[in-house]
Amino acid sequence: MRLDAEQTSALEYALNLVTDEVYLFGSRLDPAKKGGDIDLLVFSKQDSFQLSQQITLRFFEKCEEKIDVVVMDPNRLTDEQQAFLNLIEKQRLK
């Protein structure tokens, strides 16, 4: 996992109020790669737009790195979401 101390601290702060499962996915899982945004996947029944915005804003309070937050209701996955989940590698953060 390629996250420096500032990014890790900002993620901890941004996810402090989140009680749901959170995963890191994308290029940040590959130590051989460089750069790239931070991709988060959150499984939650909360409003996806509001939760995504909340996490993003809290993250930016501590770190100005690009972050993408995808929120999915684990009980209401569409076929497209399930296909996406089958394709990605992810690592649990919370």
Side-chain angles (χ1 to χ4, degrees), residues 57-70:
L57 290 173
R58 287 178 59 86
F59 180 81
F60 276 129
E61 288 178 25
K62 302 291 183 183
C63 181
E64 292 186 16
E65 189 76 31
K66 188 171 185 301
I67 184 170
D68 292 323
V69 181
V70 177

Side-chain angles (χ1 to χ4, degrees), residues 14 17-18 46 49-59:
L17 302 176
V18 178
Q46 295 183 50
F49 180 76
Q50 288 181 347
L51 183 57
S52 176
Q53 291 293 75
Q54 177 188 18
I55 292 169
T56 301
L57 290 173
R58 287 178 59 86
F59 180 81

Side-chain angles (χ1 to χ4, degrees), residues 17-82:
L17 302 176
V18 178
T19 58
D20 304 297
E21 290 181 30
V22 180
Y23 295 85
L24 180 71
F25 70 97
S27 64
R28 292 294 180 136
L29 290 180
D30 187 344
K33 292 188 177 180
K34 295 187 180 211
D37 56 353
I38 297 171
D39 298 307
L40 294 181
L41 170 62
V42 182
F43 287 114
S44 178
K45 295 179 184 178
Q46 295 183 50
D47 179 90
S48 59
F49 180 76
Q50 288 181 347
L51 183 57
S52 176
Q53 291 293 75
Q54 177 188 18
I55 292 169
T56 301
L57 290 173
R58 287 178 59 86
F59 180 81
F60 276 129
E61 288 178 25
K62 302 291 183 183
C63 181
E64 292 186 16
E65 189 76 31
K66 188 171 185 301
I67 184 170
D68 292 323
V69 181
V70 177
V71 179
M72 295 181 186
D73 183 337
N75 298 322
R76 304 178 118 205
L77 294 174
T78 65
D79 290 340
E80 292 81 8
Q81 289 171 326
Q82 190 59 58

